Structure formats: C-alpha cells, structure tokens
Amino acid sequence: MLIIPVKDGENIDRALKRFKRKFDKTGTMRQLRDRQHFTKPSVERRAQIQKAQYIQHLRDAEDI
C-alpha cells in the first residue's frame, strides 16, 4: 500500500503527482496487465527467438 504524506499547505496536484510517480515506480499496473493473460513459457521463448531472428536479419541486411 502506498502512503503519500501531504504536507500542510501543499497543493493537492503536487501530492497527486508524487503519488503517480511512486505508483509507476512500483510497477503494479505492469504486473497486473502481465497477469491478465497467461502465456506458456514455451510460447514466450518462441516469441523471443523470433524477435531475435528478425533483428539479426535486419542487422545482416544492413551489412550487405
């Protein structure tokens, strides 16, 4: 749970901005989105290999 102490006389927009920054650093939303759709490890690995092959193909094409 995130706790953002609001100082006396502090603008609420500034406190909200601090909250959003701290929330982004925790990675909660990213983790939630990853957990919504489970992908098998073999599928993830295959996607990584295909991406690596694509990048390598582009680099090889650059050299030619």
Side-chain angles (χ1 to χ4, degrees):
M1 184 165 109
L2 292 176
I3 298 174
I4 304 295
V6 179
K7 300 168 188 158
D8 291 337
E10 184 180 14
N11 190 355
I12 191 70
D13 292 330
R14 191 185 241 355
L16 184 62
K17 189 172 185 176
R18 280 191 305 150
F19 171 77
K20 287 180 180 180
R21 195 176 322 127
K22 197 170 189 180
F23 185 75
D24 285 341
K25 284 185 181 181
T26 60
T28 307
M29 286 303 292
R30 192 176 327 115
Q31 185 180 32
L32 180 66
R33 287 186 185 121
D34 287 342
R35 289 182 179 196
Q36 283 180 343
H37 303 288
F38 177 76
T39 55
K40 292 176 19 180
S42 60
V43 174
E44 285 183 21
R45 198 167 37 250
R46 185 170 44 224
Q48 287 178 350
I49 290 171
Q50 287 175 341
K51 183 178 177 181
Q53 287 174 341
Y54 175 73
I55 291 172
Q56 188 64 42
H57 174 71
L58 291 178
R59 289 183 179 158
D60 289 344
E62 248 182 32
D63 292 340
I64 294 176

